[in-house]
Amino acid sequence: MCRYAGKTYKSHFVCFRCRKSFKQTHSSDILERVRKDKYFNKIRGVNIRNVSRIFIKKEQDQLEKVISEIENREIKCPECSSLMADLGLDFKAPKKSAAKEWKIVESLYRIGKVFHSCGCEGPGYIPQNLKDYEEYLMDRLEMYKNYQSVYQNSSEKDFPDKMERVIYWSQKIIRLQDEILRYGFDFR
């Protein structure tokens, strides 16, 4: 069973400027509290996606507004007021003094690596130094190019959304190449 299935966990939001991590309650947990407050725990087994069904008609509009505000809220750093990045449940922040590790984590975020999972496999590999990070980026670049090649060489019969897939991997390759150049690594 997934580690996060039976218990509420908070997602890790980070401020790269302050090099700090803060936990925030997930929007579905907030909505669950709204449901529980409404019925004082009398109703059980209502899926949070169906939470609107247990409210009367007058409350529907107000509830939809609250749901939208919760799901689209911006989390700001309590110290510098910068927008924080949601790195997921499995993220473990480096020490504040570990500036190089923080730069690597920020770079991972820019290329789309976050730590959202069901908790079964943990956060995955996080490079700890620049040499390991260069190797990680080069491996990812090769893997993304292989994925792109698979879709480029496939037929539209096999993949009706072939072009979307090619564009998706092309964009990931460009982001990765930009990050490689930012660090001064050679990918050619």
Side-chain angles (χ1 to χ4, degrees):
M1 179 188 234
C2 295
R3 181 172 68 192
Y4 300 136
K7 186 177 174 188
T8 300
Y9 287 87
K10 295 180 178 182
S11 195
H12 296 263
F13 284 76
V14 299
C15 175
F16 294 117
R17 182 183 294 170
C18 297
R19 294 195 305 248
K20 288 194 171 187
S21 174
F22 300 93
K23 293 180 181 178
Q24 288 288 323
T25 304
H26 193 271
S27 59
S28 64
D29 294 331
I30 295 169
L31 294 172
E32 181 67 19
R33 271 192 257 142
V34 169
R35 186 189 65 77
K36 284 182 180 180
D37 287 348
K38 173 74 175 158
Y39 284 94
F40 306 102
N41 256 343
K42 290 180 182 176
I43 299 175
R44 297 199 186 273
V46 176
N47 183 326
I48 199 63
R49 295 187 192 283
N50 299 328
V51 72
S52 59
R53 290 187 194 158
I54 62 174
F55 286 85
I56 61 174
K57 186 79 171 156
K58 281 184 181 178
E59 297 170 321
Q60 289 291 332
D61 294 336
Q62 185 178 3
L63 178 65
E64 287 175 21
K65 182 181 173 189
V66 169
I67 290 171
S68 176
E69 286 174 7
I70 290 169
E71 290 178 345
N72 298 311
R73 73 192 194 278
E74 293 179 338
I75 308 294
K76 292 188 177 183
C77 176
E79 290 191 14
C80 72
S81 296
S82 295
L83 286 179
M84 298 181 73
D86 181 3
L87 292 186
L89 300 171
D90 289 327
F91 178 70
K92 183 172 181 340
K95 292 181 181 179
K96 184 176 181 172
S97 60
K100 288 180 182 176
E101 290 179 35
W102 273 101
K103 288 230 179 267
I104 290 171
V105 169
E106 183 176 9
S107 179
L108 286 169
Y109 179 72
R110 278 194 300 266
I111 64 170
K113 170 82 169 143
V114 290
F115 306 92
H116 296 280
S117 77
C118 66
C120 293
E121 296 179 21
Y125 175 68
I126 302 171
Q128 300 298 310
N129 58 52
L130 288 179
K131 185 179 184 317
D132 291 346
Y133 190 50
E134 179 180 14
E135 191 176 303
Y136 174 85
L137 291 175
M138 298 306 169
D139 289 347
R140 289 280 160 183
L141 183 60
E142 186 177 325
M143 181 174 52
Y144 292 175
K145 285 181 177 180
N146 287 339
Y147 289 151
Q148 182 187 40
S149 176
V150 165
Y151 295 119
Q152 283 175 331
N153 297 326
S154 67
S155 70
E156 295 217 8
K157 182 181 176 185
D158 294 332
F159 298 100
D161 60 346
K162 171 187 170 175
M163 285 313 299
E164 288 88 1
R165 292 175 187 235
V166 170
I167 291 168
Y168 172 80
W169 289 109
S170 297
Q171 290 171 341
K172 288 191 75 84
I173 289 168
I174 290 168
R175 277 199 315 221
L176 205 53
Q177 289 173 337
D178 288 346
E179 208 58 36
I180 289 169
L181 288 173
R182 179 175 289 171
Y183 275 87
F185 302 144
D186 184 26
F187 63 87
R188 289 164 179 56

